Amino acid sequence: MSSWKRTHSCGELKASDSGKDAVLMGWVNGVRDLGGITFIDLRDRKGVTQVLVRPDAGQEVSGAAKKVGSEWVIAVRGKVARRDEATINPNLPTGEIEVVAGELQILSESKTPPFVPEEELNVGEEIRLRHRYLDLRRPVLLRNLAMRSRLALSARSYLDQQDFYEIETPFLTKSTPEGARDYLVPSRTQKGSFYALPQSPQLFKQLLMVAGFERYFQIVRCFRDEDLRADRQPEFTQIDIEMSFADQDDVFAVVEGLFVHMLGAVGIEASAPFPRLTWAEAMDRYGTDKPDLRYGLEIADVSKVFSGSGYGIFEKVIAGGGTVRAMVAPACSGYSRKDIDGLEKLAKSQGAAGLGWARWTDAELSSPMSKHVGEARLKEAFEQAKGGPGDLLLLVAGESRQASVVLGALRLEVARRENLAKPGTWRLAWITEFPLFEWNETSKQWTSSHHPFTSPHPDDLDRLESDPGSVRSLAYDVVACGYELGSGSIRIHRADVQSRIFRALGIEDEEAQAKFGFFLEALQYGAPPHGGIALGFDRIAMVAAGGTSLRDVIAFPKTTSALDLMAGSPSPVTEEQLRELGLALWKDPSKASG
Ligand code: ASP
């Protein structure tokens, strides 16, 4: 390495720096050899600066400049000069100047890279992930990870101001109760036994409350061995929070402040308090438990309008206890039959029998249903769904919740087509009062919607045994932009209530003891009332960066098959390693040959 000291980054020199001496170091972003003179675009994490090598630069500098290629690492010492008016590049922050090279050192050569790390790249993701260190040189990924860093640091400073302690919890631990498959780590010292990597620090953070820490947080990696989608990774990061002597309002106040602070640090406005919707309201009005509230498009119940209308399909649904639900697509009366057919296809893919519709143009109202139900009823339905001339009305009949879910999917599609979700605004909201249990058809059992340590709603406690499906919980989600960004709950802090929950879940005492005995024991030594939340940090960073894939905000992500293509993991281990762990690989007899 040269003894030179870097004086500036490649992103900061301006016309006012003209005449200054500068030493820049970075990667060669491009070279243009114009015969006598050579231009080198030099890049570091802050930007790109043009280096000019003049014909009179001297043999050593010119020779070196001729040799360098894409992604070589060089150091340049030279003078900052204002560019000729005609060659100023207004798109580049350093576009007014260039550095006239007096000396040039090659710090490191590069093989021809498999792709050039440009802002937009038309290269398959596989090759990008295989050479992730090159991919990460792309300005967009640099920006995303810089933003992620600001989000994390501002979360830490906010939680510190709020008197939270940052405490680490173990990675080599026991299965945690989030309901996904565990990643297992074999123990060498206890052959035949395994650690589980934590799906979350749930039990440990509750134990920290029993221990009396009162306010805990951790920006922590969690591991879940699930089938992956674009917005899931096998290892992911949560901002994990737990508070003692806190009710739902206390948790909400901390989290609202955290979001406002954190997003503010990256230039996104969010205002508190966040509106609150119960789960049932969210499902009815938006057809989802993670509504995007950047736009309206609310779903309305218009069953009354159509009951007694004589329209067979709707009448039958209403008579069977179902509803007719409607949504207005504003200013969409110009949708063609083809557009509407596309929406109907989507509705059917969500389980609807069909899609009713009416277009209200300024001139007329047109709908295949007009002749059956009459214009007046359709206009009334428009009105109830808060629509009018210029709009398109979409109608779905069916079991009430299912009809809402279908319209929820149409709502997203209309918003996408009409570009209704303005970037840069978040409209965060709380979803509360989730059902405590969900019925699992396969195992014919109730399972926890959140996890088994979630407190039932106190008003519903007496129905725990008689009507578990109707019991609400003190669980909540924070949502924005159509994403669930976090979920948490007020916990059970009494051993007797905890036992009733296990019973309702069909978990025998013995099983509960084996899985969570240490935790249940702790609950008997003075557990304060407590609650908390875990925020999906990768997802927050993804939405903040305007991305759609978690891989855009994780430095070294895995593919959807949970592979690390760069390091080549997972990978086989040696016989010796297996022996040490007391393991033999299972051979599937159905696949045995010969
Ligand atoms: N442990 C839960 C989760 O990871 C969050 C919580 O209840 O705090 O989803």
Side-chain angles (χ1 to χ4, degrees):
M1 167 85 190
S2 80
S3 57
W4 295 1
K5 284 272 168 270
R6 204 142 77 125
T7 57
H8 296 86
S9 77
C10 294
E12 64 176 298
L13 290 168
K14 302 251 168 316
S16 54
D17 296 307
S18 302
K20 282 190 186 157
D21 288 318
V23 175
L24 303 182
M25 296 185 187
W27 287 259
V28 173
N29 207 44
V31 192
R32 293 180 306 285
D33 184 352
L34 306 182
I37 58 171
T38 307
F39 289 107
I40 299 173
D41 287 336
L42 194 62
R43 184 192 74 236
D44 65 13
R45 64 175 187 162
K46 292 293 166 69
V48 174
T49 298
Q50 175 166 295
V51 174
L52 167 63
V53 183
R54 292 220 294 241
D56 58 0
Q59 191 43 46
E60 218 170 295
V61 177
S62 305
K66 287 209 160 24
K67 233 174 108 185
V68 302
S70 248
E71 302 307 308
W72 287 40
V73 185
I74 63 170
V76 173
R77 190 201 292 279
K79 258 211 183 344
V80 183
R82 220 187 128 79
R83 293 197 205 178
D84 292 342
E85 211 56 47
T87 59
I88 285 177
N89 180 351
N91 301 321
L92 205 63
T94 61
E96 283 177 315
I97 57 96
E98 57 199 358
V99 171
V100 181
E103 292 172 78
L104 193 159
Q105 289 190 12
I106 293 169
L107 302 179
S108 165
E109 300 184 5
S110 169
K111 290 195 345 188
T112 305
F115 56 86
V116 206
E118 290 165 340
E119 176 87 26
E120 298 291 337
L121 199 60
N122 208 2
V123 169
E125 196 172 26
E126 221 176 286
I127 183 116
R128 292 205 279 116
L129 288 176
R130 209 169 103 53
H131 298 276
R132 184 62 165 177
Y133 45 87
L134 293 179
D135 199 24
L136 288 171
R137 287 184 191 166
R138 291 166 59 215
V140 55
L141 288 184
L142 260 166
R143 274 198 310 274
N144 287 355
L145 286 159
M147 171 187 264
R148 182 180 171 122
S149 165
R150 282 200 302 280
L151 287 168
L153 291 174
S154 62
R156 281 204 162 87
S157 82
Y158 171 81
L159 290 166
D160 176 43
Q161 281 160 29
Q162 300 294 315
D163 210 11
F164 281 77
Y165 296 161
E166 181 171 13
I167 302 174
E168 286 156 286
T169 51
F171 276 178
L172 293 177
T173 178
K174 226 175 142 83
S175 193
T176 41
E178 308 291 348
R181 199 179 292 113
D182 287 322
Y183 277 101
L184 298 175
V185 180
S187 160
R188 179 180 57 81
T189 52
Q190 309 291 317
K191 293 198 176 38
S193 288
F194 293 79
Y195 302 99
L197 297 181
Q199 294 183 30
S200 83
Q202 186 62 35
L203 297 178
F204 288 102
K205 67 172 167 175
Q206 292 193 237
L207 289 171
L208 289 172
M209 297 304 105
V210 177
F213 284 100
E214 298 190 23
R215 291 186 156 213
Y216 140 96
F217 88 97
Q218 185 179 193
I219 302 186
V220 63
R221 203 71 62 80
C222 303
F223 307 85
R224 296 184 193 176
D225 187 1
E226 295 178 291
D227 292 329
L228 305 176
R229 304 189 303 248
D231 67 344
R232 289 240 173 108
Q233 280 278 313
E235 45 180 313
F236 58 94
T237 305
Q238 289 185 343
I239 304 182
D240 198 44
I241 293 175
E242 198 72 13
M243 302 162 64
S244 291
F245 310 112
D247 60 17
Q248 191 169 277
D249 288 343
D250 300 317
V251 177
F252 285 11
V254 163
V255 175
E256 288 173 359
L258 173 60
F259 268 104
V260 170
H261 188 87
M262 210 170 35
L263 295 177
V266 297
I268 296 170
E269 241 181 83
S271 56
F274 306 164
R276 300 178 188 189
L277 290 167
T278 65
W279 176 81
E281 269 171 340
M283 294 305 292
D284 284 350
R285 285 164 58 187
Y286 303 103
T288 171
D289 57 8
K290 39 180 188 283
D292 190 339
L293 298 178
R294 287 174 296 180
Y295 45 86
L297 307 191
E298 277 197 35
I299 298 165
D301 185 343
V302 293
S303 308
K304 281 214 181 82
V305 178
F306 292 101
S307 76
S309 65
Y311 187 52
I313 306 172
F314 284 6
E315 294 272 22
K316 207 168 135 203
V317 168
I318 296 168
T323 55
V324 181
R325 303 181 85 78
M327 190 191 76
V328 159
C332 294
S333 64
Y335 272 28
S336 65
R337 277 307 291 263
K338 198 164 151 240
D339 294 328
I340 296 173
D341 285 350
L343 293 177
E344 175 155 38
K345 214 166 141 201
L346 175 62
K348 286 185 171 164
S349 76
Q350 299 293 312
L355 180 67
W357 57 270
R359 283 184 299 220
W360 193 344
T361 62
D362 290 335
E364 55 164 7
L365 195 143
S366 72
S367 163
M369 295 165 56
S370 299
K371 55 180 179 294
H372 304 289
V373 301
E375 241 178 51
R377 274 190 210 269
L378 286 171
K379 284 191 170 159
E380 203 186 324
F382 262 102
E383 213 161 87
Q384 291 211 357
K386 304 210 165 45
D391 299 339
L392 168 71
L393 180 75
L394 301 172
L395 296 160
V396 174
E399 187 272 316
S400 171
R401 189 133 289 149
Q402 212 230 329
S404 285
V405 169
V406 173
L407 282 166
L410 294 173
R411 181 174 177 269
L412 288 183
E413 176 57 16
V414 169
R416 190 191 62 78
R417 283 170 180 239
E418 300 303 311
N419 228 344
L420 297 181
K422 293 282 165 269
T425 49
W426 273 43
R427 299 296 315 274
L428 288 128
W430 291 106
I431 310 298
T432 62
E433 297 183 15
F434 280 81
L436 186 63
F437 301 118
E438 273 166 18
W439 182 249
N440 183 322
E441 254 317 308
T442 327
S443 62
K444 301 268 178 252
Q445 254 179 350
W446 292 105
T447 57
S448 295
S449 311
H450 189 45
H451 52 58
F453 308 105
T454 301
S455 174
H457 196 293
D459 297 349
D460 299 353
L461 206 52
D462 53 359
R463 293 199 307 277
L464 204 54
E465 287 80 16
S466 57
D467 186 8
S470 74
V471 176
R472 291 164 299 165
S473 70
L474 296 184
Y476 34 77
D477 278 0
V478 56
V479 301
C481 309
Y483 290 96
E484 179 214 308
L485 298 180
S487 67
S489 58
I490 298 303
R491 326 295 183 188
I492 298 165
H493 70 282
R494 279 179 27 200
D496 58 331
V497 179
Q498 189 64 68
S499 304
R500 283 174 70 190
I501 295 290
F502 281 141
R503 245 173 279 133
L505 290 167
I507 300 177
E508 302 294 331
D509 281 357
E510 225 168 80
E511 187 187 347
Q513 278 306 324
K515 280 189 171 152
F516 319 116
F518 66 105
F519 175 75
L520 299 176
E521 189 181 0
L523 282 189
Q524 296 168 26
Y525 288 101
H530 61 287
I533 194 162
L535 306 178
F537 185 58
D538 307 291
R539 221 179 267 177
I540 292 170
M542 177 183 84
V543 182
T548 49
S549 165
L550 291 176
R551 294 192 284 272
D552 295 341
V553 292
I554 296 177
F556 298 103
K558 300 208 167 40
T559 65
T560 38
S561 332
L563 303 179
D564 174 345
L565 296 177
M566 183 185 65
S569 71
S571 55
V573 296
T574 62
E575 278 295 324
E576 174 60 24
Q577 285 171 300
L578 287 175
R579 203 172 320 120
E580 249 181 359
L581 294 167
L583 295 179
L585 291 183
W586 185 72
K587 295 206 173 41
D588 187 345
S590 67
K591 291 194 181 129
S593 59

